[in-house]
Amino acid sequence: MASSQTLTSLFFFSSLVAFCYAATNSYKQPKPTAILFSIRRNETTRQYYTTFTFGESNIIVGALIDLGAPDVWFDCTSYVSSSYKRASCGSNRCKKAKGSVCLGCNSTPRPGCSNNTCGVFAYNPFREYLTSQELGVDTMTSISSTDGRYVQLYYDVPKFQFSCADASIVEGLPGDYTKGLVGLARTQVSLTSQISSSFKLPQKFALCIPSLTENGLGSMFIGGGPYYMPPLNEDLSLSLVSTPLVINPVSTAPAYSEGDPSDEYFINVKDIEISGKRVAFDLSLLSFDKNGVGGTKISTIAPYTILHASIYKRLVKDFIKAAALNKIKRVKSVAPFGACFDSKTAPKTITGPAVPDIDLVLEGNTARLRLYGSNSMVEVKKNVICLAFIDGGVEPRTSIVLGGYQLEERLLEFDLAASKLGFTSSLLVWNTSCSQSRLF
Ligand SMILES: *[C@@H]1O[C@H](CO)[C@@H](O)[C@H](O)[C@H]1NC(C)=O
Ligand SMILES: *[C@@H]1O[C@H](CO)[C@@H](O)[C@H](O)[C@H]1NC(C)=O
Ligand SMILES: *[C@@H]1O[C@H](CO)[C@@H](O)[C@H](O)[C@H]1NC(C)=O
């Protein structure tokens, strides 16, 4: 409860600031350098979420961050705003949003219930529930601009587009506080793309996903760097190593048209190494077949990296071997993990327990994403740490789904114009973290 109160007062504060700006400044605000959203982590659900406000009464919406989802949707059942507008069937806005059906509603008219309304897809990945919901637009209010270091000014985003959904879609969404989902995928209607377009910022965004829950405000930057993580007094955009973002030619969405590519973010993993030694598995799993099966994508909703069974088995086996060489004592496995260890035998370091490093060798000259103990081992109970990877079975659509735990505490920049992913080493190496408060 404490954390949601903090959240409310925090937003109350930012709304107040925004209100003061609106009241005292009639001049045109300068163009922002970049926009900043917070990222929070829910310890129980292992999901990441953000919060934003909408409409003339600043309705607060908590929504899960889904890197792979195309658009923004939330439960509209108690949404009240005089600035809200729905898109009608056949309107330009509807065509642009690839409206799928024409909706009607038999109840009292309100946002989310009207006739002759453009319906767009909204998808709840936790229940694999796909539905068409009203396409609405309203003003997103009080978003923060940043110079990469501090919060600067508050802005409104007029005509922000989302699915104004009914309560049924929220069922099964983890976390009591989250009533919607924000998609960051490569579409024109993702949160990031709408914000970039609205402020004419570069089509890039960066995530710094926190590993902490309490005091753990991570950052989502929209529009590019610089990026600062105090106390480190260095622009992290200078430390980014990059690898191409690759396009899966076959859509991975629950509904799509023949010939549509996937709008999720894939990278080209070429190899996996443990303590510098190759993990032997069938490398053809790392590329796409003609049906778009295979490859590696990045996901913020998979709590842990999910591997094709044959990669998983080898990784676990080789890791156990490498751990044994380092005198790390194996203990009974705790589901769903396949290898657990006595943490007393893996001394704590600045980058987590001292275990063998796991490297993802990526396309690009020197591109290696190194997973230290803080990204590879999860503590499941007192003195027991487990290798934080999940067996994805023998026929997964995607061979490697790089999940949240492996993405935490580093800066990840998605540059859509250049089609590349930039990433830093674990920030823990520099004695800093993503949880650096910028709000005050
Ligand atoms: C939609 O049209 C039907 C039939 O004309 C009507 O009964 C219903 O009240 C309308 N719904 C709304 C939300 O206006
Ligand atoms: C985190 O998720 C749990 C389980 O759904 C929920 O009870 C809790 O309220 C959530 N916390 C926040 C801050 O949303
Ligand atoms: C890291 O920061 C902590 C305080 O935040 C400090 O106590 C510690 O000495 C620092 N370690 C290094 C290696 O700089």
Side-chain angles (χ1 to χ4, degrees), residues 64-94:
L64 290 174
I65 296 170
D66 184 351
L67 189 62
D71 54 10
V72 177
W73 59 256
F74 55 84
D75 177 4
C76 242
T77 16
S78 49
Y79 194 85
V80 185
S81 168
S82 60
S83 48
Y84 176 83
K85 290 203 168 51
R86 60 166 188 97
S88 53
C89 299
S91 62
N92 282 339
R93 187 176 291 284
C94 184

PDB file of all heavy atoms in Angstrom, residues 64-94:
ATOM      1  N   LEU A  64       1.287  -1.819 -17.877  1.00  0.00           N
ATOM      2  CA  LEU A  64       2.473  -2.653 -18.069  1.00  0.00           C
ATOM      3  C   LEU A  64       3.220  -2.218 -19.306  1.00  0.00           C
ATOM      4  O   LEU A  64       2.616  -1.820 -20.298  1.00  0.00           O
ATOM      5  CB  LEU A  64       2.052  -4.113 -18.268  1.00  0.00           C
ATOM      6  CG  LEU A  64       1.489  -4.804 -17.055  1.00  0.00           C
ATOM      7  CD1 LEU A  64       0.987  -6.182 -17.439  1.00  0.00           C
ATOM      8  CD2 LEU A  64       2.566  -4.919 -15.988  1.00  0.00           C
ATOM      9  N   ILE A  65       4.524  -2.333 -19.244  1.00  0.00           N
ATOM     10  CA  ILE A  65       5.351  -1.997 -20.394  1.00  0.00           C
ATOM     11  C   ILE A  65       5.584  -3.271 -21.191  1.00  0.00           C
ATOM     12  O   ILE A  65       6.125  -4.243 -20.672  1.00  0.00           O
ATOM     13  CB  ILE A  65       6.692  -1.402 -19.921  1.00  0.00           C
ATOM     14  CG1 ILE A  65       6.420  -0.084 -19.199  1.00  0.00           C
ATOM     15  CG2 ILE A  65       7.644  -1.212 -21.091  1.00  0.00           C
ATOM     16  CD1 ILE A  65       7.630   0.479 -18.482  1.00  0.00           C
ATOM     17  N   ASP A  66       5.149  -3.276 -22.428  1.00  0.00           N
ATOM     18  CA  ASP A  66       5.334  -4.437 -23.296  1.00  0.00           C
ATOM     19  C   ASP A  66       6.052  -3.993 -24.572  1.00  0.00           C
ATOM     20  O   ASP A  66       5.443  -3.417 -25.475  1.00  0.00           O
ATOM     21  CB  ASP A  66       3.975  -5.079 -23.609  1.00  0.00           C
ATOM     22  CG  ASP A  66       4.113  -6.352 -24.433  1.00  0.00           C
ATOM     23  OD1 ASP A  66       5.234  -6.645 -24.910  1.00  0.00           O
ATOM     24  OD2 ASP A  66       3.101  -7.057 -24.600  1.00  0.00           O
ATOM     25  N   LEU A  67       7.341  -4.287 -24.591  1.00  0.00           N
ATOM     26  CA  LEU A  67       8.178  -3.897 -25.717  1.00  0.00           C
ATOM     27  C   LEU A  67       7.638  -4.430 -27.043  1.00  0.00           C
ATOM     28  O   LEU A  67       7.815  -3.804 -28.091  1.00  0.00           O
ATOM     29  CB  LEU A  67       9.577  -4.470 -25.455  1.00  0.00           C
ATOM     30  CG  LEU A  67      10.728  -4.059 -26.338  1.00  0.00           C
ATOM     31  CD1 LEU A  67      10.977  -2.566 -26.227  1.00  0.00           C
ATOM     32  CD2 LEU A  67      11.982  -4.817 -25.938  1.00  0.00           C
ATOM     33  N   GLY A  68       6.972  -5.573 -26.998  1.00  0.00           N
ATOM     34  CA  GLY A  68       6.533  -6.219 -28.232  1.00  0.00           C
ATOM     35  C   GLY A  68       5.121  -5.875 -28.658  1.00  0.00           C
ATOM     36  O   GLY A  68       4.660  -6.343 -29.703  1.00  0.00           O
ATOM     37  N   ALA A  69       4.400  -5.072 -27.874  1.00  0.00           N
ATOM     38  CA  ALA A  69       2.998  -4.800 -28.215  1.00  0.00           C
ATOM     39  C   ALA A  69       2.900  -3.563 -29.108  1.00  0.00           C
ATOM     40  O   ALA A  69       3.685  -2.627 -28.965  1.00  0.00           O
ATOM     41  CB  ALA A  69       2.179  -4.611 -26.945  1.00  0.00           C
ATOM     42  N   PRO A  70       1.935  -3.582 -30.037  1.00  0.00           N
ATOM     43  CA  PRO A  70       1.865  -2.528 -31.037  1.00  0.00           C
ATOM     44  C   PRO A  70       1.277  -1.205 -30.559  1.00  0.00           C
ATOM     45  O   PRO A  70       1.579  -0.162 -31.114  1.00  0.00           O
ATOM     46  CB  PRO A  70       0.947  -3.135 -32.113  1.00  0.00           C
ATOM     47  CG  PRO A  70       0.111  -4.134 -31.389  1.00  0.00           C
ATOM     48  CD  PRO A  70       0.977  -4.674 -30.292  1.00  0.00           C
ATOM     49  N   ASP A  71       0.411  -1.228 -29.548  1.00  0.00           N
ATOM     50  CA  ASP A  71      -0.317   0.009 -29.239  1.00  0.00           C
ATOM     51  C   ASP A  71      -0.538   0.159 -27.733  1.00  0.00           C
ATOM     52  O   ASP A  71       0.029  -0.590 -26.940  1.00  0.00           O
ATOM     53  CB  ASP A  71      -1.649   0.051 -30.008  1.00  0.00           C
ATOM     54  CG  ASP A  71      -2.491  -1.201 -29.757  1.00  0.00           C
ATOM     55  OD1 ASP A  71      -2.147  -2.000 -28.854  1.00  0.00           O
ATOM     56  OD2 ASP A  71      -3.497  -1.379 -30.459  1.00  0.00           O
ATOM     57  N   VAL A  72      -1.334   1.117 -27.384  1.00  0.00           N
ATOM     58  CA  VAL A  72      -1.607   1.410 -25.975  1.00  0.00           C
ATOM     59  C   VAL A  72      -3.084   1.135 -25.708  1.00  0.00           C
ATOM     60  O   VAL A  72      -3.931   1.565 -26.471  1.00  0.00           O
ATOM     61  CB  VAL A  72      -1.308   2.899 -25.662  1.00  0.00           C
ATOM     62  CG1 VAL A  72      -1.653   3.246 -24.217  1.00  0.00           C
ATOM     63  CG2 VAL A  72       0.151   3.228 -25.966  1.00  0.00           C
ATOM     64  N   TRP A  73      -3.397   0.410 -24.667  1.00  0.00           N
ATOM     65  CA  TRP A  73      -4.796   0.223 -24.290  1.00  0.00           C
ATOM     66  C   TRP A  73      -4.939   0.223 -22.779  1.00  0.00           C
ATOM     67  O   TRP A  73      -3.994  -0.085 -22.062  1.00  0.00           O
ATOM     68  CB  TRP A  73      -5.404  -1.045 -24.896  1.00  0.00           C
ATOM     69  CG  TRP A  73      -4.751  -2.362 -24.565  1.00  0.00           C
ATOM     70  CD1 TRP A  73      -3.937  -3.094 -25.383  1.00  0.00           C
ATOM     71  CD2 TRP A  73      -4.876  -3.147 -23.354  1.00  0.00           C
ATOM     72  NE1 TRP A  73      -3.544  -4.260 -24.758  1.00  0.00           N
ATOM     73  CE2 TRP A  73      -4.110  -4.316 -23.520  1.00  0.00           C
ATOM     74  CE3 TRP A  73      -5.562  -2.961 -22.153  1.00  0.00           C
ATOM     75  CZ2 TRP A  73      -4.014  -5.294 -22.540  1.00  0.00           C
ATOM     76  CZ3 TRP A  73      -5.469  -3.940 -21.162  1.00  0.00           C
ATOM     77  CH2 TRP A  73      -4.692  -5.088 -21.368  1.00  0.00           C
ATOM     78  N   PHE A  74      -6.107   0.625 -22.333  1.00  0.00           N
ATOM     79  CA  PHE A  74      -6.381   0.512 -20.896  1.00  0.00           C
ATOM     80  C   PHE A  74      -7.878   0.441 -20.654  1.00  0.00           C
ATOM     81  O   PHE A  74      -8.685   0.751 -21.535  1.00  0.00           O
ATOM     82  CB  PHE A  74      -5.724   1.645 -20.102  1.00  0.00           C
ATOM     83  CG  PHE A  74      -6.057   3.033 -20.547  1.00  0.00           C
ATOM     84  CD1 PHE A  74      -7.208   3.682 -20.129  1.00  0.00           C
ATOM     85  CD2 PHE A  74      -5.198   3.712 -21.417  1.00  0.00           C
ATOM     86  CE1 PHE A  74      -7.502   4.972 -20.540  1.00  0.00           C
ATOM     87  CE2 PHE A  74      -5.491   5.009 -21.832  1.00  0.00           C
ATOM     88  CZ  PHE A  74      -6.650   5.639 -21.396  1.00  0.00           C
ATOM     89  N   ASP A  75      -8.206   0.017 -19.457  1.00  0.00           N
ATOM     90  CA  ASP A  75      -9.599  -0.138 -19.053  1.00  0.00           C
ATOM     91  C   ASP A  75     -10.247   1.238 -18.959  1.00  0.00           C
ATOM     92  O   ASP A  75      -9.823   2.084 -18.189  1.00  0.00           O
ATOM     93  CB  ASP A  75      -9.621  -0.839 -17.681  1.00  0.00           C
ATOM     94  CG  ASP A  75     -11.018  -0.998 -17.129  1.00  0.00           C
ATOM     95  OD1 ASP A  75     -11.993  -0.648 -17.830  1.00  0.00           O
ATOM     96  OD2 ASP A  75     -11.140  -1.470 -15.985  1.00  0.00           O
ATOM     97  N   CYS A  76     -11.284   1.427 -19.747  1.00  0.00           N
ATOM     98  CA  CYS A  76     -11.932   2.730 -19.869  1.00  0.00           C
ATOM     99  C   CYS A  76     -13.231   2.806 -19.086  1.00  0.00           C
ATOM    100  O   CYS A  76     -13.937   3.804 -19.180  1.00  0.00           O
ATOM    101  CB  CYS A  76     -12.264   2.943 -21.348  1.00  0.00           C
ATOM    102  SG  CYS A  76     -11.446   4.332 -22.102  1.00  0.00           S
ATOM    103  N   THR A  77     -13.572   1.754 -18.321  1.00  0.00           N
ATOM    104  CA  THR A  77     -14.919   1.721 -17.729  1.00  0.00           C
ATOM    105  C   THR A  77     -15.239   2.917 -16.844  1.00  0.00           C
ATOM    106  O   THR A  77     -16.376   3.350 -16.794  1.00  0.00           O
ATOM    107  CB  THR A  77     -15.177   0.403 -16.941  1.00  0.00           C
ATOM    108  OG1 THR A  77     -13.928  -0.230 -16.707  1.00  0.00           O
ATOM    109  CG2 THR A  77     -16.059  -0.526 -17.691  1.00  0.00           C
ATOM    110  N   SER A  78     -14.236   3.460 -16.154  1.00  0.00           N
ATOM    111  CA  SER A  78     -14.581   4.631 -15.336  1.00  0.00           C
ATOM    112  C   SER A  78     -13.903   5.897 -15.873  1.00  0.00           C
ATOM    113  O   SER A  78     -13.623   6.830 -15.127  1.00  0.00           O
ATOM    114  CB  SER A  78     -14.206   4.376 -13.876  1.00  0.00           C
ATOM    115  OG  SER A  78     -12.888   3.888 -13.807  1.00  0.00           O
ATOM    116  N   TYR A  79     -13.645   5.897 -17.171  1.00  0.00           N
ATOM    117  CA  TYR A  79     -12.942   7.031 -17.780  1.00  0.00           C
ATOM    118  C   TYR A  79     -13.924   8.186 -18.027  1.00  0.00           C
ATOM    119  O   TYR A  79     -14.934   8.013 -18.698  1.00  0.00           O
ATOM    120  CB  TYR A  79     -12.349   6.579 -19.118  1.00  0.00           C
ATOM    121  CG  TYR A  79     -11.329   7.528 -19.707  1.00  0.00           C
ATOM    122  CD1 TYR A  79      -9.999   7.466 -19.330  1.00  0.00           C
ATOM    123  CD2 TYR A  79     -11.706   8.486 -20.657  1.00  0.00           C
ATOM    124  CE1 TYR A  79      -9.056   8.315 -19.871  1.00  0.00           C
ATOM    125  CE2 TYR A  79     -10.770   9.348 -21.204  1.00  0.00           C
ATOM    126  CZ  TYR A  79      -9.442   9.251 -20.803  1.00  0.00           C
ATOM    127  OH  TYR A  79      -8.522  10.092 -21.337  1.00  0.00           O
ATOM    128  N   VAL A  80     -13.627   9.338 -17.479  1.00  0.00           N
ATOM    129  CA  VAL A  80     -14.466  10.514 -17.697  1.00  0.00           C
ATOM    130  C   VAL A  80     -13.557  11.646 -18.148  1.00  0.00           C
ATOM    131  O   VAL A  80     -12.590  11.968 -17.471  1.00  0.00           O
ATOM    132  CB  VAL A  80     -15.187  10.964 -16.395  1.00  0.00           C
ATOM    133  CG1 VAL A  80     -16.147  12.100 -16.690  1.00  0.00           C
ATOM    134  CG2 VAL A  80     -15.898   9.800 -15.745  1.00  0.00           C
ATOM    135  N   SER A  81     -13.834  12.215 -19.317  1.00  0.00           N
ATOM    136  CA  SER A  81     -13.010  13.323 -19.786  1.00  0.00           C
ATOM    137  C   SER A  81     -13.735  14.023 -20.920  1.00  0.00           C
ATOM    138  O   SER A  81     -14.127  13.388 -21.892  1.00  0.00           O
ATOM    139  CB  SER A  81     -11.660  12.787 -20.281  1.00  0.00           C
ATOM    140  OG  SER A  81     -10.978  13.797 -20.983  1.00  0.00           O
ATOM    141  N   SER A  82     -13.913  15.320 -20.783  1.00  0.00           N
ATOM    142  CA  SER A  82     -14.652  16.046 -21.825  1.00  0.00           C
ATOM    143  C   SER A  82     -13.795  16.233 -23.072  1.00  0.00           C
ATOM    144  O   SER A  82     -14.312  16.538 -24.138  1.00  0.00           O
ATOM    145  CB  SER A  82     -15.126  17.397 -21.292  1.00  0.00           C
ATOM    146  OG  SER A  82     -13.985  18.139 -20.909  1.00  0.00           O
ATOM    147  N   SER A  83     -12.479  16.031 -22.937  1.00  0.00           N
ATOM    148  CA  SER A  83     -11.639  16.190 -24.124  1.00  0.00           C
ATOM    149  C   SER A  83     -11.493  14.882 -24.914  1.00  0.00           C
ATOM    150  O   SER A  83     -10.850  14.840 -25.953  1.00  0.00           O
ATOM    151  CB  SER A  83     -10.266  16.735 -23.720  1.00  0.00           C
ATOM    152  OG  SER A  83      -9.728  16.019 -22.633  1.00  0.00           O
ATOM    153  N   TYR A  84     -12.121  13.811 -24.409  1.00  0.00           N
ATOM    154  CA  TYR A  84     -12.029  12.521 -25.103  1.00  0.00           C
ATOM    155  C   TYR A  84     -12.813  12.529 -26.411  1.00  0.00           C
ATOM    156  O   TYR A  84     -13.918  13.052 -26.471  1.00  0.00           O
ATOM    157  CB  TYR A  84     -12.586  11.412 -24.196  1.00  0.00           C
ATOM    158  CG  TYR A  84     -12.610  10.055 -24.862  1.00  0.00           C
ATOM    159  CD1 TYR A  84     -11.480   9.253 -24.891  1.00  0.00           C
ATOM    160  CD2 TYR A  84     -13.773   9.571 -25.482  1.00  0.00           C
ATOM    161  CE1 TYR A  84     -11.492   8.015 -25.514  1.00  0.00           C
ATOM    162  CE2 TYR A  84     -13.797   8.340 -26.114  1.00  0.00           C
ATOM    163  CZ  TYR A  84     -12.643   7.564 -26.132  1.00  0.00           C
ATOM    164  OH  TYR A  84     -12.659   6.347 -26.761  1.00  0.00           O
ATOM    165  N   LYS A  85     -12.234  11.959 -27.450  1.00  0.00           N
ATOM    166  CA  LYS A  85     -12.965  11.769 -28.714  1.00  0.00           C
ATOM    167  C   LYS A  85     -12.729  10.358 -29.209  1.00  0.00           C
ATOM    168  O   LYS A  85     -11.632   9.831 -29.113  1.00  0.00           O
ATOM    169  CB  LYS A  85     -12.448  12.740 -29.767  1.00  0.00           C
ATOM    170  CG  LYS A  85     -12.809  14.175 -29.500  1.00  0.00           C
ATOM    171  CD  LYS A  85     -12.781  14.997 -30.790  1.00  0.00           C
ATOM    172  CE  LYS A  85     -13.415  16.361 -30.577  1.00  0.00           C
ATOM    173  NZ  LYS A  85     -12.860  17.075 -29.403  1.00  0.00           N
ATOM    174  N   ARG A  86     -13.795   9.772 -29.770  1.00  0.00           N
ATOM    175  CA  ARG A  86     -13.611   8.445 -30.367  1.00  0.00           C
ATOM    176  C   ARG A  86     -13.483   8.615 -31.867  1.00  0.00           C
ATOM    177  O   ARG A  86     -13.922   9.636 -32.422  1.00  0.00           O
ATOM    178  CB  ARG A  86     -14.811   7.567 -30.034  1.00  0.00           C
ATOM    179  CG  ARG A  86     -16.080   8.186 -30.589  1.00  0.00           C
ATOM    180  CD  ARG A  86     -17.249   7.247 -30.593  1.00  0.00           C
ATOM    181  NE  ARG A  86     -18.337   7.904 -31.338  1.00  0.00           N
ATOM    182  CZ  ARG A  86     -18.590   7.668 -32.602  1.00  0.00           C
ATOM    183  NH1 ARG A  86     -17.869   6.814 -33.286  1.00  0.00           N
ATOM    184  NH2 ARG A  86     -19.584   8.308 -33.205  1.00  0.00           N
ATOM    185  N   ALA A  87     -12.888   7.646 -32.526  1.00  0.00           N
ATOM    186  CA  ALA A  87     -12.798   7.699 -33.989  1.00  0.00           C
ATOM    187  C   ALA A  87     -13.981   6.937 -34.574  1.00  0.00           C
ATOM    188  O   ALA A  87     -14.328   5.868 -34.092  1.00  0.00           O
ATOM    189  CB  ALA A  87     -11.490   7.068 -34.442  1.00  0.00           C
ATOM    190  N   SER A  88     -14.615   7.532 -35.587  1.00  0.00           N
ATOM    191  CA  SER A  88     -15.750   6.819 -36.174  1.00  0.00           C
ATOM    192  C   SER A  88     -15.268   5.879 -37.280  1.00  0.00           C
ATOM    193  O   SER A  88     -14.154   5.992 -37.781  1.00  0.00           O
ATOM    194  CB  SER A  88     -16.797   7.805 -36.682  1.00  0.00           C
ATOM    195  OG  SER A  88     -16.174   8.729 -37.525  1.00  0.00           O
ATOM    196  N   CYS A  89     -16.150   4.950 -37.635  1.00  0.00           N
ATOM    197  CA  CYS A  89     -15.817   3.967 -38.669  1.00  0.00           C
ATOM    198  C   CYS A  89     -15.452   4.679 -39.964  1.00  0.00           C
ATOM    199  O   CYS A  89     -16.096   5.656 -40.329  1.00  0.00           O
ATOM    200  CB  CYS A  89     -16.999   3.055 -38.949  1.00  0.00           C
ATOM    201  SG  CYS A  89     -17.492   2.120 -37.530  1.00  0.00           S
ATOM    202  N   GLY A  90     -14.440   4.223 -40.624  1.00  0.00           N
ATOM    203  CA  GLY A  90     -14.094   4.761 -41.943  1.00  0.00           C
ATOM    204  C   GLY A  90     -13.387   6.112 -41.906  1.00  0.00           C
ATOM    205  O   GLY A  90     -13.007   6.623 -42.949  1.00  0.00           O
ATOM    206  N   SER A  91     -13.197   6.692 -40.712  1.00  0.00           N
ATOM    207  CA  SER A  91     -12.493   7.981 -40.639  1.00  0.00           C
ATOM    208  C   SER A  91     -11.026   7.779 -41.004  1.00  0.00           C
ATOM    209  O   SER A  91     -10.522   6.654 -40.976  1.00  0.00           O
ATOM    210  CB  SER A  91     -12.609   8.565 -39.226  1.00  0.00           C
ATOM    211  OG  SER A  91     -11.990   7.693 -38.298  1.00  0.00           O
ATOM    212  N   ASN A  92     -10.337   8.872 -41.321  1.00  0.00           N
ATOM    213  CA  ASN A  92      -8.914   8.781 -41.651  1.00  0.00           C
ATOM    214  C   ASN A  92      -8.118   8.188 -40.499  1.00  0.00           C
ATOM    215  O   ASN A  92      -7.228   7.379 -40.691  1.00  0.00           O
ATOM    216  CB  ASN A  92      -8.348  10.162 -41.983  1.00  0.00           C
ATOM    217  CG  ASN A  92      -8.732  10.566 -43.386  1.00  0.00           C
ATOM    218  OD1 ASN A  92      -9.064   9.716 -44.224  1.00  0.00           O
ATOM    219  ND2 ASN A  92      -8.710  11.871 -43.642  1.00  0.00           N
ATOM    220  N   ARG A  93      -8.460   8.661 -39.296  1.00  0.00           N
ATOM    221  CA  ARG A  93      -7.751   8.164 -38.126  1.00  0.00           C
ATOM    222  C   ARG A  93      -7.927   6.653 -38.003  1.00  0.00           C
ATOM    223  O   ARG A  93      -6.989   5.927 -37.677  1.00  0.00           O
ATOM    224  CB  ARG A  93      -8.299   8.862 -36.872  1.00  0.00           C
ATOM    225  CG  ARG A  93      -7.525   8.548 -35.627  1.00  0.00           C
ATOM    226  CD  ARG A  93      -8.030   9.328 -34.443  1.00  0.00           C
ATOM    227  NE  ARG A  93      -7.757  10.751 -34.536  1.00  0.00           N
ATOM    228  CZ  ARG A  93      -6.566  11.305 -34.318  1.00  0.00           C
ATOM    229  NH1 ARG A  93      -5.537  10.551 -34.028  1.00  0.00           N
ATOM    230  NH2 ARG A  93      -6.408  12.601 -34.403  1.00  0.00           N
ATOM    231  N   CYS A  94      -9.133   6.205 -38.304  1.00  0.00           N
ATOM    232  CA  CYS A  94      -9.432   4.769 -38.214  1.00  0.00           C
ATOM    233  C   CYS A  94      -8.610   3.990 -39.243  1.00  0.00           C
ATOM    234  O   CYS A  94      -8.030   2.950 -38.922  1.00  0.00           O
ATOM    235  CB  CYS A  94     -10.926   4.549 -38.434  1.00  0.00           C
ATOM    236  SG  CYS A  94     -11.425   2.823 -38.229  1.00  0.00           S
TER     237      CYS A  94
END
